[in-house]
Amino acid sequence: MGGRITALDVLRGVAILGTLGTNIWIFTHPDGPGGFLTGADDWGEALLRMVSNGKFLGLLSILFGIGLALQHASAVKRGQKWPGWYLWRSALLLFEGLLHYVLIFEFDVLMFYAIVSVLVAFLVGRSDRVVRAWLGGALVLHLAFVGLVTWAMHLGDGSLGGSLGGSLPVDNTSWLGQVQSRIEFLDVFRAEIVFVLPLSTVLFLAGVRLVRAGALEDSERGLRIQRRLAGWGLGLGLPLNVVTTLAGGEWFAVDRYVSAPIVSFGLLGAITMLVHRMRSPEGFLRRGVTSVGRSALSCYIAQNVIASVLCYQWGLNLTGRLGHLGVWYTIGAWVVVSALLVLGASWWMKRFSRGPVEAAWNWAYRAPQRRPVSA
């Protein structure tokens, strides 16, 4: 594939704003991360959480696999050793994720992505048979974890986060207090690794296979794949997502780690198909979402920084002031932060070729590769 894939930028932008739709419930909960883990208060809130819960994170994982496949193809075309310096990229991502977790956000995903990217980097150049075998093995392992946890929750109190949330006295009154809480409860906040590593491996490898099959192409072949993804992903995933959401806390693992990823594939197909059908010039909204996608790493970090400053007690404490408005406050906070991201990314990408974090990251990636010219 030559040139920049427009649909990929739009998909990344949608995934980043959608991920904010999940995270915003954490920032706007009166008890912060600890309270969020206890689950929704009623079915109405549960359905609103369902709109973003897990599916945009799944979409982001698929897109990460697509990006990895494109980087591998570029390296092969240039005759570069693989994985080679890509492992340095993974190391940088792991370090960045660690900083993001400790300093900014309890539920960072960059650390998980960095770990999975190392495994997939060694698989991406293997035969289709090997890739399918690893994908199938990771899927079986993931479903076994989900089944085991679901069984345990049916035997227990039916709440994944009830006991955890109540035992997490996260200090939201000061930034330093939050940092200390993240370090103290590292095992709890990073427990999702049990699900994320096998699931991310599945989604990464699925992204590799999809891009090679032409799923992002504006062609008849691409359209067929997009229709199948949209039909199966949304037609099967959405009804299943509603059922598992309303079935109760015992089905949380199935809801977030099975139903939502199925919807993620539907979103990939539907959004790509929609982008290819848009023949008119880009409007403000599409340009803004595209800009968010082009600066996805910067916007992912920025959304958590902005939401922290707006919502937590050590910032503007909007949760303390407006939390009584319930879900309307949460929706309003998402709209405000999303608008700031779209406006900020649009302004920045008109002037620079990379987002600020991407530019710093690119420098750090290339710095050790530079060698002095011999005399």
Side-chain angles (χ1 to χ4, degrees), residues 94-364:
L94 181 63
F95 178 70
E96 184 172 4
L98 178 62
L99 289 179
H100 183 242
Y101 167 76
V102 173
L103 301 178
I104 301 174
F105 188 53
E106 292 80 4
F107 300 99
D108 164 78
V109 299
L110 301 180
M111 295 172 65
F112 302 146
Y113 283 2
I115 296 172
V116 176
S117 69
V118 173
L119 170 63
V120 177
F122 283 100
L123 294 176
V124 68
R126 304 293 297 274
S127 67
D128 187 59
R129 181 180 178 182
V130 172
V131 172
R132 281 189 285 110
W134 274 89
L135 195 158
L139 180 59
V140 170
L141 179 61
H142 170 65
L143 293 177
F145 278 140
V146 171
L148 182 62
V149 170
T150 302
W151 175 69
M153 291 173 68
H154 275 82
L155 293 179
D157 64 0
S159 174
L160 181 67
S163 59
L164 290 178
S167 63
L168 286 178
V170 179
D171 183 8
N172 294 324
T173 61
S174 71
W175 172 77
L176 184 58
Q178 284 189 323
V179 170
Q180 293 173 339
S181 298
R182 294 181 192 117
I183 296 174
E184 180 180 356
F185 299 110
L186 177 69
D187 57 336
V188 176
F189 289 129
R190 301 286 81 185
E192 198 175 25
I193 192 172
V194 175
F195 295 102
V196 171
L197 292 186
L199 176 59
S200 294
T201 301
V202 171
L203 297 177
F204 275 38
L205 291 175
V208 170
R209 297 200 67 200
L210 283 172
V211 73
R212 288 178 175 173
L216 298 182
E217 292 178 1
D218 187 7
S219 63
E220 188 60 36
R221 179 179 74 157
L223 182 60
R224 283 198 301 270
I225 298 174
Q226 291 152 24
R227 284 175 174 169
R228 289 173 185 169
L229 288 172
W232 283 102
L234 299 181
L236 173 64
L238 280 179
L240 181 62
N241 204 187
V242 173
V243 170
T244 52
T245 295
L246 299 179
E250 298 91 343
W251 295 94
F252 172 84
V254 178
D255 182 53
R256 180 171 172 83
Y257 302 110
V258 177
S259 303
I262 294 175
V263 178
S264 300
F265 287 101
L267 291 173
L268 177 72
I271 294 171
T272 304
M273 192 162 44
L274 179 63
V275 170
H276 291 325
R277 289 189 176 186
M278 291 180 176
R279 303 302 180 185
S280 57
E282 289 186 348
F284 170 77
L285 181 58
R286 182 178 167 185
R287 284 198 303 271
V289 173
T290 300
S291 296
V292 171
R294 290 179 60 195
S295 55
L297 189 55
S298 297
C299 289
Y300 173 67
I301 296 173
Q303 70 182 25
N304 297 322
V305 172
I306 294 171
S308 296
V309 172
L310 290 177
C311 299
Y312 288 143
Q313 293 180 45
W314 55 263
L316 297 181
N317 192 26
L318 292 185
T319 297
R321 302 169 188 271
L322 303 175
H324 64 279
L325 298 177
V327 296
W328 296 109
Y329 163 59
T330 300
I331 294 172
W334 178 82
V335 171
V336 169
V337 178
S338 296
L340 291 174
L341 289 177
V342 169
L343 292 172
S346 299
W347 181 89
W348 184 276
M349 297 310 298
K350 283 182 180 179
R351 293 159 176 80
F352 306 98
S353 60
R354 290 187 175 93
V357 176
E358 283 81 359
W361 202 83
N362 185 65
W363 176 88

